[in-house]
């Protein structure tokens, strides 16, 4: 049974033990939750259950079923009739029938429909975990997890709650929709990305959360950038800056996005003005607690964006900058390596090397990026630029690059 519980947890959309612990607490009756252990203790209990050292008691079996959407029999095997943790009578009273079990469960859910602070805190923490997993997770896998939480938030919208609780729930839904849109763009799925961005913007407006609203504009600008709509990307990046709080990450990211769009347009003065603004904004920033968090701008991102921007502009200064960025991503002084960002950094370096007439190394770096398994469809156009440039030079490496690019595109369609 322990192996089965672990298998269920690790199946798509995949939950960490910490995520499952928070979901189990959030699924409990608010009156019952006060007597439950907190998340760290629950994580240890989950470890014991999955190792087969202990069996979950009836309370946790019911919570497992509610969270996973599976029956208790499927999770734990068929068992003789037993007392329910939410029984209406004395300690020895059992459910008389399936119909009675369903009726009592319905009554319990109606009585326990309030959305309390503990549920909201768990959801807010989950948003942070998902946003922090973005740089290292395949977009398909991360999107499956996001959708699971979006469904749960949607169900909670019908529950009773205070105005402040509803606003917090709406904000959670906004962040989740925004992150879902980002994954859709990574996958090259435009219609669902647009739908998720609209939802995120609407929820941001309902929740009065202008930072999310600014991020929706910045994300749309990034999507246009990947599609070659550079002037429109500049316009949206500027709109995002107009909306964003001046001390927030969205403002910095939108400024950097504007610089990248100007670089694609070949406008050196505007590009450098945007880069200078980013540098001034980033200079006083401390390193955030979770630098891998997609919606928290850390100073290291500034170097990566500058390398990308200068490589697109054809500036020779991009070569040493891109080398330094790649080295720090693969061998960070603190925190985990960031393989997805490293794959993109290899493409930046390849493009910069082409500008510096070092085409042999450029081809090698591009091959490494395409063979890493870390490039998402939204980056394929950047790889295509390197392939085209190497082909135009008539280099023998062009054949290998073409083959790698075809395999890259084919794997994205599988």
């Amino acid at each position: 049974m322990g192996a089965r519980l672990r298998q269920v947890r690790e199946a798509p959309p995949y939950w960490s033990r910490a995520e499952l612990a928070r979901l189990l607490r959030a699924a409990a009756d608010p009156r019952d939750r006060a007597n439950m252990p907190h998340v760290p203790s629950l994580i240890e209990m989950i470890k014991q259950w999955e190792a087969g050292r202990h069996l979950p008691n009836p309370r946790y079996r019911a919570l497992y079923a509610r969270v996973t959407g599976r029956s208790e029999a499927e999770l734990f095997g068929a068992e003789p009739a037993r007392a329910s943790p939410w029984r209406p009578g004395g300690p020895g009273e059992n459910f008389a029938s399936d119909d009675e079990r369903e009726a009592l469960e319905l009554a319990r859910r109606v009585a326990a429909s309030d959305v309390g602070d503990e549920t909201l805190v768990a959801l807010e923490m989950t948003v942070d975990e998902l946003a922090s997993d973005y740089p290292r997770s395949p977009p398909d896998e991360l999107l499956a997890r996001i959708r699971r939480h979006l469904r749960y938030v949607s169900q909670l919208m019908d529950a009773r709650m205070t105005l402040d609780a509803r606003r917090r729930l709406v904000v959670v839904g906004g962040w989740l929709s925004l992150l879902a849109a980002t994954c859709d763009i990574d996958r090259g799925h435009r219609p669902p990305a647009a739908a998720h961005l609209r939802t995120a913007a609407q929820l941001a407006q309902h929740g009065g959360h202008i930072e999310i609203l600014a991020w929706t504009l910045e994300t749309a600008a990034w999507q246009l950038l990947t599609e070659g709509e550079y002037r429109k990307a500049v316009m949206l990046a500027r709109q995002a800056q107009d909306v964003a709080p001046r001390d927030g990450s969205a403002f910095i990211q939108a400024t950097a996005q504007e610089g990248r769009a100007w670089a694609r347009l070949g406008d050196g003065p505007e590009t450098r003005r945007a880069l200078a603004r980013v540098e001034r904004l980033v200079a006083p920033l401390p390193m955030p607690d979770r630098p891998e968090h997609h919606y928290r701008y850390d100073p290291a991102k500034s170097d990566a964006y500058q390398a990308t921007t200068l490589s697109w502009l054809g500036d020779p200064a991009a070569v040493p900058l891109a080398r330094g960025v790649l080295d720090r991503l693969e061998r960070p002084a603190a925190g985990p390596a960031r393989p997805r960002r490293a794959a993109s950094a290899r493409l930046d370096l390849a493009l910069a090397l082409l500008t510096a007439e070092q085409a042999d190394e450029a081809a090698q770096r591009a091959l490494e990026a395409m063979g890493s398994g870390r490039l998402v469809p939204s980056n394929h156009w950047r790889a295509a630029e390197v392939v085209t440039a190497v082909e135009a030079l008539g280099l023998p490496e062009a054949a290998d690059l073409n083959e790698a690019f075809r395999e890259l595109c084919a794997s994205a369609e599988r």
Side-chain angles (χ1 to χ4, degrees), residues 117-386:
D117 183 69
E118 187 127 13
T119 299
L120 292 166
V121 168
L123 285 168
E124 289 161 350
M125 291 175 67
T126 295
V127 167
D128 285 339
E129 285 193 4
L130 292 169
S132 298
D133 284 346
Y134 171 77
R136 54 179 175 259
S137 299
D140 286 341
E141 293 180 13
L142 188 64
L143 184 59
R145 294 166 60 193
I146 295 166
R147 284 172 174 161
R148 183 75 173 255
H149 291 293
L150 274 171
R151 286 195 295 270
Y152 184 52
V153 167
S154 180
Q155 292 167 4
L156 290 178
M157 287 292 182
D158 294 328
R160 295 192 305 268
M161 67 191 88
T162 65
L163 288 175
D164 181 64
R166 184 166 296 279
R167 186 196 66 79
R168 289 171 64 187
L169 189 62
V170 165
V171 168
V172 165
W175 283 121
L176 290 172
S177 298
L178 178 63
L179 193 53
T182 306
C183 291
D184 281 324
I185 294 169
D186 278 338
R187 298 160 72 226
H189 293 183
R190 294 177 62 184
H196 278 129
L197 277 180
R198 284 195 300 271
T199 299
Q202 290 167 357
L203 292 174
Q205 290 169 336
H206 284 304
H209 202 292
I210 58 174
E211 178 84 1
I212 294 177
L213 190 59
W215 274 111
T216 64
L217 292 165
E218 186 279 333
T219 303
W222 169 53
Q223 182 175 11
L224 288 170
L225 189 63
T226 67
E227 295 167 358
E229 299 281 354
Y230 306 131
R231 291 203 177 275
K232 290 181 180 178
V234 168
M235 180 188 68
L236 276 180
R238 287 183 165 178
Q239 287 181 14
Q241 292 168 65
D242 290 340
V243 169
R246 292 299 183 268
D247 59 349
S249 292
F251 184 76
I252 305 174
Q253 182 75 6
T255 306
Q257 207 67 269
E258 181 190 343
R260 294 210 297 178
W262 282 124
R264 297 301 297 181
L265 288 165
D267 191 322
E270 287 287 4
T271 300
R272 289 185 171 83
R273 277 194 283 271
L275 288 175
R277 294 201 304 274
V278 171
E279 189 174 356
R280 288 194 299 272
L281 290 166
V282 170
L285 288 182
M287 182 64 72
D289 292 338
R290 301 176 84 162
E292 69 277 12
H293 196 295
H294 188 57
Y295 300 112
R296 292 178 191 163
Y297 202 94
D298 71 278
K301 281 182 184 175
S302 175
D303 289 341
Y305 271 82
Q306 189 175 15
T308 302
T309 305
L310 292 179
S311 68
W312 288 352
L313 194 61
D315 190 319
V319 175
L321 189 58
R323 286 193 195 281
V325 168
L326 180 58
D327 186 62
R328 287 191 293 275
L329 287 171
E330 294 189 316
R331 289 178 287 276
R338 302 181 188 181
R340 270 185 61 185
R341 283 198 199 173
S344 298
R346 278 189 166 82
L347 293 181
D348 291 338
L349 179 55
L351 195 58
L353 288 164
L354 285 168
T355 302
E357 299 183 353
Q358 299 177 49
D360 290 347
E361 186 185 351
Q364 181 58 38
R365 294 296 186 174
L367 276 172
E368 290 169 358
M370 288 188 282
S372 69
R374 297 288 183 169
L375 286 182
V376 295
S378 63
N379 271 327
H380 288 183
W381 65 281
R382 297 170 67 179
E385 284 194 338
V386 179

Side-chain angles (χ1 to χ4, degrees), residues 39-100:
V39 169
S41 298
L42 262 179
I43 292 171
E44 290 304 313
M45 292 168 66
I46 291 168
K47 287 180 182 177
Q48 297 293 319
W49 296 333
E50 291 182 353
R53 297 189 185 99
H54 301 287
L55 296 176
N57 67 24
R59 169 205 278 175
Y60 292 108
R61 294 182 190 190
L63 292 177
Y64 254 96
R66 191 166 303 122
V67 166
T68 63
R70 304 176 185 228
S71 69
E72 290 186 49
E74 183 182 359
L75 289 166
F76 306 103
E79 291 187 345
R82 54 173 171 77
S84 164
W86 290 289
R87 55 190 175 274
E93 182 174 341
N94 293 331
F95 287 119
S97 66
D98 288 341
D99 288 342
E100 185 179 356

